[in-house]
Amino acid sequence: MALSVSVTLLSGQLAVLPATTDTKIRDLKLQAQRALQTGIRSLVHPERKVLLDESTVGESGLQEGDVLTAVARHVLVWSSPAGSAFAVSRSDGFVFTWGLSMYGGDSSAVKDQLWHVKHVCVGDAASAAVREDGTVITWGDDSEGGDSSKVSHDLHDIRDVRASHSAFAALRNDGEVITWGAGNFGGLCLLPRDQIRNVKHVESSYAAFAAIRDDGSVVAWGDERSGGDCSKCKRQLVDIVRISSTSAAFAAVTCRGQVVTWGDRMMGADSSAVADRLQHVQSVEGSTGAFAALRKDGTVVTWGAAAYGGDSRKVQEQLHDIRLLRGSVRAFAALRQDGSVITWGDAAFGGSSDSIQHMLSDVQDLRASHAAFAALRVDGRVVAWGDDAYGGCCQEAEEELYSVQEIHACRAAFAALRADGLVITWGDQAFRGDMTQIHEQLQSPIFKQV
């Protein structure tokens, strides 16, 4: 049966669309996108229920003349400080990438599948996209996670994906974990299947994974030298609420604010020297070989290799009222409640911000590449420091860095999302991409999914 349905944006813009009772909601949404010239995440029934993409107009109970509300889709950016690429979801839901082409920066082989993506996990050598229907699309180096065909039958109803250097772990809504990629990097989990079920969170190091189960216990797999074996501290790993990592160690925070570490003792797994101070901890941040713990009173405790930022004694008196910590490879940056920033560690990796300290005021967010930091200020401007080759200087892009809403980092570059939906990049040319091509992709007209 033929009927017409109206779709309206919150702005009041409206489109009247023809449909039949057999029309899929997904197809109706695509029609609305083209008619309203904006991306749409979902359609809402007059009775305030979100309509499922795979249902039909008839199954959704829509009647002639019904008016649906469209929830707009905004531009999203994904990256990882250890990754080699950036991924951006346009307002129409199409994802495109740039960066090192052979390591996930070129997604052209799967571009027809990169629609309705809700999350992208950008790894070092490959990337994985989780679509709104819970399926996963992968690309990049086949041997390092770019090929997930062997586990494709298990990759459904996925809610999150994490990456080590050369492998991935996907968490399903039923709490089961699916792994693929290089086996010695955690892509092959040898634990009994019942141990990687009832999982609520997964974290990764360079070559291992650790998972928090529903009961607060922890299991780990992958390279033992990278934290793939937590059996020696299993009795302490109870009531765990979050896990962080360096390249070769994990730090788990209990519900009581205590910290348990394991992995390579030289890379942050040995926290014995500060054990008495690791109380009332709310979060932990890792560099390559050291940890920094933020306590509930706003103070910071560090441990691990001094060469990687594990020694904060020179700035300890300034480390109060802290609300956010970020780590590069060999340094840390702490954001205080008043918007100022404190840095320590290797100066060549962003551990010294003396030269631009006068600009580090009213900061609201921090990001780190391998050897540089970028700060987003309340006024929408960006300040960067550290190694220029890794994005420590944003002078070339300074005129374009205004009205910035978010900043993101990959291994050697940064990307800033402006309020107008455009993305500005700086850093190593191989990672930051061609700005002209990026803007063309962001501004190209909405087109029908293949």
Side-chain angles (χ1 to χ4, degrees):
M1 184 181 77
L3 69 159
S4 61
V5 177
S6 298
V7 176
T8 181
L9 295 170
L10 294 178
S11 63
Q13 187 179 357
L14 182 142
V16 179
L17 307 173
T20 69
T21 52
D22 294 327
T23 299
K24 292 274 190 181
I25 296 300
R26 183 185 299 279
D27 293 330
L28 190 66
K29 190 162 66 175
L30 288 169
Q31 289 183 54
Q33 285 186 158
R34 291 194 297 273
L36 296 170
Q37 284 297 293
T38 190
I40 295 174
R41 177 170 295 279
S42 58
L43 297 176
V44 181
H45 191 276
E47 296 179 358
R48 298 186 178 181
K49 63 180 180 181
V50 177
L51 302 182
L52 300 177
D53 280 356
E54 296 308 315
S55 64
T56 66
V57 166
E59 291 168 344
S60 302
L62 297 180
Q63 304 293 323
E64 170 69 29
D66 275 350
V67 179
L68 306 179
T69 301
V71 179
R73 182 193 300 271
H74 301 289
V75 174
L76 298 173
V77 182
W78 295 281
S79 65
S80 164
S84 302
F86 290 98
V88 170
S89 173
R90 295 190 323 196
S91 61
D92 61 354
F94 174 69
V95 167
F96 67 96
T97 60
W98 70 91
L100 293 188
S101 58
M102 65 183 296
Y103 294 132
D106 180 5
S107 56
S108 57
V110 294
K111 68 177 183 179
D112 291 344
Q113 303 173 64
L114 292 178
W115 285 87
H116 306 296
V117 171
K118 63 179 180 180
H119 173 70
V120 178
C121 177
V122 181
D124 185 79
S127 295
V130 183
R131 300 200 301 187
E132 290 177 0
D133 63 2
T135 57
V136 174
I137 309 299
T138 56
W139 65 95
D141 190 312
D142 286 355
S143 64
E144 300 189 41
D147 180 5
S148 57
S149 58
K150 291 183 179 179
V151 294
S152 60
H153 59 286
D154 289 321
L155 291 175
H156 56 85
D157 205 25
I158 301 299
R159 73 169 185 250
D160 191 24
V161 177
R162 297 285 170 159
S164 66
H165 180 273
S166 302
F168 290 90
L171 177 59
R172 286 201 315 223
N173 281 322
D174 63 4
E176 187 161 348
V177 176
I178 312 300
T179 62
W180 70 96
N184 56 336
F185 285 83
L188 176 62
C189 181
L190 298 178
L191 294 173
R193 293 302 302 173
D194 62 344
Q195 289 192 33
I196 53 171
R197 288 181 175 142
N198 302 317
V199 170
K200 61 182 179 181
H201 179 73
V202 177
E203 193 55 71
S204 64
S205 66
Y206 181 80
F209 293 94
I212 305 174
R213 299 178 50 168
D214 288 340
D215 61 3
S217 63
V218 173
V219 292
W221 66 95
D223 187 352
E224 290 186 12
R225 296 166 298 178
S226 293
D229 181 3
C230 62
S231 59
K232 291 182 180 179
C233 57
K234 193 171 185 64
R235 291 184 178 180
Q236 299 170 267
L237 290 170
V238 294
D239 296 327
I240 301 301
V241 294
R242 60 182 59 85
I243 295 178
S244 301
S245 67
T246 64
S247 63
F250 290 98
V253 182
T254 73
C255 64
R256 295 175 297 280
Q258 298 169 322
V259 176
V260 183
T261 54
W262 71 95
D264 190 328
R265 294 176 64 84
M266 300 298 291
M267 304 300 279
D270 183 3
S271 56
S272 58
V274 294
D276 60 328
R277 298 168 57 200
L278 289 176
Q279 306 293 327
H280 310 295
V281 171
Q282 61 180 8
S283 65
V284 178
E285 179 74 10
S287 66
T288 291
F291 285 108
L294 176 58
R295 303 202 314 180
K296 292 181 180 179
D297 63 2
T299 59
V300 174
V301 180
T302 59
W303 70 95
Y308 293 99
D311 184 354
S312 58
R313 286 177 294 180
K314 290 183 178 179
V315 296
Q316 198 64 48
E317 292 185 359
Q318 302 174 64
L319 292 175
H320 57 84
D321 298 322
I322 303 300
R323 63 183 175 93
L324 178 67
L325 294 168
R326 297 291 187 197
S328 68
V329 168
R330 290 177 173 267
F332 287 95
L335 176 60
R336 292 205 305 204
Q337 295 288 352
D338 63 4
S340 61
V341 175
I342 310 300
T343 57
W344 69 94
D346 192 326
F349 288 76
S352 174
S353 54
D354 291 347
S355 63
I356 45 85
Q357 196 63 46
H358 62 287
M359 302 169 65
L360 290 174
S361 59
D362 296 322
V363 173
Q364 60 176 316
D365 193 16
L366 293 170
R367 297 287 170 169
S369 68
H370 266 207
F373 291 92
L376 174 60
R377 301 197 328 182
V378 174
D379 61 6
R381 308 298 297 195
V382 174
V383 182
W385 69 96
D387 190 327
D388 291 358
Y390 287 81
C393 178
C394 58
Q395 190 172 359
E396 289 185 10
E398 189 172 6
E399 292 185 1
E400 299 294 327
L401 290 171
Y402 59 86
S403 301
V404 173
Q405 293 185 320
E406 302 172 11
I407 49 176
H408 300 266
C410 73
R411 189 195 311 170
F414 292 91
L417 175 61
R418 288 195 327 210
D420 59 8
L422 291 186
V423 176
I424 311 301
T425 63
W426 69 96
D428 188 309
Q429 184 63 58
F431 291 83
R432 74 184 190 190
D434 185 324
M435 285 304 307
T436 301
Q437 292 183 7
I438 294 170
H439 286 175
E440 286 177 353
Q441 287 276 12
L442 282 168
Q443 296 176 318
S444 60
I446 293 169
F447 55 93
K448 182 173 171 53
Q449 179 183 359
V450 177

